[in-house]
């Protein structure tokens, strides 16, 4: 048995919130991720994590958010302690120790994030975010080492991201995202099941964290993912309706195609996922 998340949230005025996570903090706890899919409704997680700028905010965190103009504009800032234990490379980084000692490896480096979200109406939303990786508490030397190491082997020290989400028709959602933090991008369209009508989804994008699907808070049907930076396409059907039932089953089945960034070769695979929801 593992403890995934402990979060405390408190209202700070009519339109503001303060949040603190001792364990399991995520970027979506700080600011809206604008994802059209959840991890359980996609085959690989692409389209469920949004821009890498926000998605790689992990660990113990403190966040503050506020809305302006009756929800038209939202602003959020937060600091995340990171998740130790990663390896240097596309899925992690090296950050200097706080006391100038040996560098410490992180799967997700410590990160500060700021995001502004605009909601022009009830059927659309867009956001801009900026993140900074660094050895918080390590002084100028620590921040410089973080910038050098992360710039060579992992997350950029400064990352910028943009996301947008639109409702189309009665139940379809279309989203797009891009990030300078690893160069990820994507476009997704999906609709949930409704009654006897199956749902569907189509996602195309480049996931800088493709090789880490299913690790540390992510959850994909394909555990051994493609190399980071691979172009990926997936199309799937979503069967089963979970809402309004005490016990329900959701099934996602489709095709995932991946282009290896080194060889340019395309590989395709059939993928299947089932998920049970049991309520007492």
């Amino acid at each position: 048995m593992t403890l995934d998340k402990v979060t405390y949230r408190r209202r700070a005025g009519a339109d503001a919130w303060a949040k603190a996570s001792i364990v399991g903090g995520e970027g979506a706890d700080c600011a809206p991720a604008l994802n059209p899919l959840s991890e359980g409704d996609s085959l690989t997680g692409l389209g469920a994590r949004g821009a890498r700028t926000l998605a790689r905010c992990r660990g113990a965190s403190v966040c503050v958010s506020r809305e302006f103009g009756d929800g038209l504009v939202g602003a959020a800032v937060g600091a995340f302690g990171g998740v130790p234990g990663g390896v240097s490379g596309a899925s992690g980084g090296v950050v200097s120790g706080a006391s100038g000692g040996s560098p410490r490896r992180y799967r997700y480096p410590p990160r500060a994030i700021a995001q502004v979200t605009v909601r022009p109406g009830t059927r659309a939303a867009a956001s801009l975010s900026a993140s900074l990786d660094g050895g918080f508490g390590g002084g100028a030397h620590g921040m410089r080492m973080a910038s050098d190491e992360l710039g060579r082997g992992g997350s950029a020290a400064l990352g910028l991201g943009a996301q947008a989400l639109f409702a189309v028709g009665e139940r379809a959602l279309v989203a797009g995202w891009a990030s300078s933090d690893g160069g990820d991008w994507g476009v997704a369209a999906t609709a949930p099941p409704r009654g006897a009508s199956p749902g569907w989804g189509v996602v195309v994008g480049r996931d800088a964290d493709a090789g880490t699907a299913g690790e540390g808070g992510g959850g994909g049907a394909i555990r051994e993912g493609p190399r980071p930076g691979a172009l990926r396409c997936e199309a799937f059907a979503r069967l089963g309706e979970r809402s309004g039932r005490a016990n329900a089953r959701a099934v996602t089945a489709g095709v995932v195609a991946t282009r290896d960034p080194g060889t340019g070769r395309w590989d395709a695979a059939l993928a299947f996922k089932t998920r049970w929801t049991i309520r007492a």
Side-chain angles (χ1 to χ4, degrees):
M1 181 180 293
T2 60
L3 182 64
D4 290 333
K5 177 178 288 193
V6 177
T7 299
Y8 174 77
R9 184 176 75 163
R10 183 179 180 84
R11 184 178 290 276
D15 301 308
W17 290 92
K19 304 174 188 177
S21 295
I22 302 173
V23 177
E26 300 175 279
D29 298 332
C30 178
L34 304 185
N35 300 327
L37 294 162
S38 69
E39 290 281 0
D41 291 328
S42 64
L43 292 172
T44 66
L46 185 65
R49 290 186 289 265
R52 194 173 190 253
T53 307
L54 188 64
R56 287 185 63 78
C57 293
R58 299 289 181 91
S61 63
V62 177
C63 308
V64 178
S65 61
R66 177 165 181 168
E67 293 186 345
F68 302 89
D70 197 23
L72 175 63
V73 178
V77 295
F80 293 78
V83 178
V87 296
S88 182
S91 62
V94 181
V95 179
S96 172
S99 60
S102 301
R104 187 178 185 184
R105 294 187 181 275
Y106 284 87
R107 186 195 309 174
Y108 297 99
R111 167 168 288 199
I113 183 77
Q115 179 169 303
V116 175
T117 304
V118 179
R119 303 179 183 87
T122 61
R123 297 175 61 82
S127 68
L128 292 175
S129 57
S131 66
L132 178 67
D133 289 344
F136 306 132
H141 175 66
M143 291 296 289
R144 184 172 60 254
M145 283 192 65
S147 176
D148 293 344
E149 293 290 345
L150 294 171
R152 284 197 299 267
S155 306
L158 175 65
L160 301 175
Q163 300 181 105
L165 179 66
F166 304 91
V168 179
E170 294 184 357
R171 61 186 182 121
L173 294 173
V174 177
W177 65 94
S179 173
S180 66
D181 185 7
D184 69 313
W185 61 269
V187 178
T190 185
R194 175 180 291 181
S197 300
W200 54 269
V202 179
V203 188
V204 179
R206 178 183 181 272
D207 189 353
D209 286 329
T212 63
E215 294 181 5
I222 300 178
R223 296 293 176 179
E224 297 298 330
R227 291 173 55 185
L231 178 64
R232 194 188 315 162
C233 310
E234 60 179 85
F236 51 85
R238 298 167 58 186
L239 310 174
E241 180 62 59
R242 290 176 295 181
S243 61
R245 293 187 181 182
N247 301 314
R249 180 183 64 182
V251 177
T252 305
V255 178
V256 178
T258 305
R259 183 179 184 271
D260 190 285
T263 64
R265 174 184 173 184
W266 282 92
D267 293 310
L270 296 176
F272 175 87
K273 179 193 294 185
T274 184
R275 184 176 182 178
W276 289 88
T277 301
I278 301 176
R279 297 184 177 91

